Amino acid sequence: MINDKEKRVIELRKIINEHNHRYYVLSSPAISDYDYDMLMNELIELEKQNPELYDENSPSQRVGNDINLEFNQIEHKYPMLSLGNTYNEGEIRDFDTRVRKLAGNNFKYICELKYDGASISLTYENKKLKYAVTRGDGTKGDDVTQNVKTIRSIPLDLSATDCPNNFEIRGEIFIPHAGFEQMNKEREEAGEPLYANPRNTASGSLKLQNSAVVATRPLDCYLYYILGEGLPSDSHYENLQEAKKWGFKIPEEPQCCNNIDEVWNFISEWDNKRHELPFDIDGIVIKVDSLNLQHELGFTAKSPRWAISYKFKTERVATILESVSFQVGRTGAVTPVANLKPVKLAGTTVKRASLHNADIIASLDLHLGDTVFIEKGGEIIPKVVAVDKDNRLNNAHTVIFIEQCPECGAKLVKNEGEAAHYCPNEQSCAPQIKGKITHFISRKAMNIDSLGEETIELLYNEGLIKNIADLYDLKAEQLLPLDRMAEKSVNNILTSISDSKNIPFEKVLFGLGIRYVGATVAKNLARSLKSIDSLMNASIEELTNIDDIGDRIAQSVVQFFESEKNIAIIKRLKEVGLQFELQEQEKHSNKLEGLSIIASGKLTNFSRDEIKMVIEMNGGKAVSSISAKTNFLLAGENIGPNKLAKAEKLGIPIISEEEFLKMIN
Ligand code: IVH
């Protein structure tokens, strides 16, 4: 017979697995982090009380893991553990009681803000930044040194005479609000989907393959934990103050507290003030200050006994769902938006909330007039997290996802495996046309900065432009009679349209707005295929042979060029003189002609980008994953064992940096 506890454990595992899928796979969580933690805590507690219910595949057995095999893995000298979480005053006082039992009464706490970003470990050897490694599975993490070096607030060389030669310092990489908003503004202008929140964007940025792109991200880093031998003081706080003198960015907010009442005051104070900070925090970290005492208290398997985190409750308010509207974006994706009775939340008035897609609406079982709960968890647009079904009006209508495009009436389509519905009427659905033109003129594409979204709207409404090629036929006499147009502005517009004819091929390709072809993919395609003509003729197989191009992108490219309308537009753009061929980089030699080379690990003479460039400048092809077609593996220091094993298995010769230098002379 299966008892109630067992039933609940099975149920919890199922619920948590579903939420994991929503969060990690669909990127559309249906519950708040707090509710998730509560479910997980309940499961962990039940499993602890009933060891016979142990299951190695229970979601409670998953250790956070951000390992990405594209990077080399480095073992942490000291494991990177996480902190135990608490959610109320009672749990904070329980922590204090536990500490006091072992430590007596004569000690201090340090309270710090809990920064909401990606944790990082920085190792300094001989006062130089040697490695920057992500948390990974806690035992080993990804070597993201090249990417971290782009963060200006992290010192690469320490000049202080009084700092240890070798030590490790840990902290949090994050994106401040202002930088995040700017990034999203640019995404919006380019018609690209917005980043969901600063935390995911920060950790995503660390995992980018191209450190030049990372350098454009507004990343910053606070350091809060220093490890090593020969540290200046027994006090954690004092050591961080010293580290500040050595050049590290150490937070200003930490405070010494003599007892748990002072700790609780600090927590309450920041619970109110946190919305005024220029970055996100999700709680407070409480640490015992003395390193000796920390050592005595030690660690459990998962977290230190000398520190704990207090997690703030995400603010949640109830309001009424008045209606649901559907917005059509540049790619035709239809996004449902909840129109709400205005309500105050975390300092702003909220009138709208995202509903993401049809699956989310169905899983919330939304009805018009429902009382819904809204949360704002770092996301720019608040989200509906739950419905108060007990308060539902009789005869309330279920929210039904539309079947036809609200703008042009076309029947919507939904591709298998995708959550979004699309309007297929690319050529004549107004928001799609306007969105495509706005994308084309955006900074990262054709950079026609004298035109903006409003002017595009005006020109479209006046019937002057229906596609991107029409821009190049605009005449002064058509523009001058329009509202708010003077000779000077008209001149500016025509000049910057004409100047855009010099914009390089990869940006033109990005500007075409082929689905899934973002700026980086466009660059990749342009470099590999060199001209629009070879791209148009490329088969799925040829495309997927290109580095980082998968089936989804290849199919989208082929589909784009199957459309006669697209071909006609490209023909017109060619005629007016846009760049449809790659301007060749200066070549140094042909010594690597016909060779595919993968470089991996830390090189002495080149950064990750430089080695790619050097390979290409000598006629070779720099690839980023090993296949049977790879000719050489250029192995640097600390190369990952997986890459080596794979090369050996495929019989690919492994060369050193020195040998490589000889090859190119
Ligand atoms: S101390 C052994 N201090 O929270 C304890 N962590 O769940 C080391 N975090 O992985 C961590 N702010 O990424 C510490 N002031 C702070 C922090 C902090 C944010 C993050 C860190 C860690 C997680 C703990």
Side-chain angles (χ1 to χ4, degrees), residues 495-531:
T495 314
S496 63
I497 292 179
S498 171
D499 286 351
S500 75
K501 293 177 187 169
N502 297 320
I503 292 284
F505 173 44
E506 63 254 37
K507 295 198 172 185
V508 178
L509 182 56
F510 170 59
L512 292 179
I514 304 173
R515 189 179 294 170
Y516 307 131
V517 178
T520 317
V521 172
K523 211 183 255 176
N524 231 338
L525 290 171
R527 286 203 185 145
S528 304
L529 293 170
K530 314 239 186 301
S531 73

Side-chain angles (χ1 to χ4, degrees), residues 82-83 112-115 119 135 172 224-225 285 287 304:
S82 60
L83 294 166
E112 297 171 2
L113 305 187
K114 187 167 187 296
Y115 305 94
S119 46
R135 193 172 100 93
E172 201 84 355
Y224 47 63
Y225 187 24
V285 179
K287 300 176 179 170

Side-chain angles (χ1 to χ4, degrees), residues 67-263:
I67 288 183
N68 180 335
L69 289 176
E70 293 288 320
F71 290 89
N72 292 322
Q73 265 73 60
I74 292 188
E75 198 152 318
H76 293 298
K77 186 165 175 200
Y78 312 93
M80 263 179 110
L81 301 176
S82 60
L83 294 166
N85 290 329
T86 60
Y87 301 91
N88 56 46
E89 188 177 348
E91 289 172 339
I92 286 288
R93 290 189 182 275
D94 290 347
F95 165 72
D96 181 54
T97 311
R98 288 197 299 274
V99 173
R100 235 159 255 284
K101 237 186 222 161
L102 282 156
N105 286 321
N106 194 14
F107 67 91
K108 279 188 302 202
Y109 289 116
I110 303 297
C111 286
E112 297 171 2
L113 305 187
K114 187 167 187 296
Y115 305 94
D116 197 9
S119 46
I120 194 79
S121 145
L122 307 176
T123 298
Y124 284 80
E125 278 181 23
N126 294 320
K127 301 196 185 180
K128 284 186 195 317
L129 176 64
K130 178 93 173 161
Y131 301 116
V133 184
T134 63
R135 193 172 100 93
D137 62 4
T139 312
K140 57 183 187 315
D142 287 336
D143 176 0
V144 290
T145 315
Q146 286 309 333
N147 287 346
V148 165
K149 280 188 174 168
T150 67
I151 303 175
R152 303 296 157 99
S153 59
I154 294 181
L156 304 182
D157 283 305
L158 303 171
S159 53
T161 48
D162 56 346
C163 72
N165 283 332
N166 304 317
F167 62 96
E168 187 179 333
I169 190 162
R170 292 181 185 171
E172 201 84 355
I173 291 178
F174 65 96
I175 297 181
H177 293 150
F180 181 71
E181 277 155 27
Q182 179 61 30
M183 279 177 83
N184 261 342
K185 202 172 141 225
E186 287 170 15
R187 301 274 291 183
E188 200 167 8
E189 279 168 11
E192 290 170 318
L194 302 190
Y195 293 113
N197 60 52
R199 187 215 308 128
N200 293 357
T201 314
S203 55
S205 299
L206 283 184
K207 298 299 180 74
L208 291 172
Q209 290 292 323
N210 183 343
S211 57
V213 180
V214 184
T216 67
R217 301 272 164 104
L219 297 168
D220 204 345
C221 179
Y222 270 134
L223 295 148
Y224 47 63
Y225 187 24
I226 170 164
L227 301 112
E229 277 145 38
L231 298 179
S233 161
D234 174 55
S235 153
H236 160 73
Y237 183 80
E238 291 303 327
N239 283 333
L240 288 183
Q241 297 315 307
E242 286 303 308
K244 186 186 285 180
K245 294 184 200 149
W246 307 336
F248 290 101
K249 183 160 172 157
I250 307 292
E252 298 290 340
E253 297 87 3
Q255 189 176 303
C256 289
C257 294
N258 290 306
N259 54 53
I260 207 68
D261 290 331
E262 287 180 24
V263 169

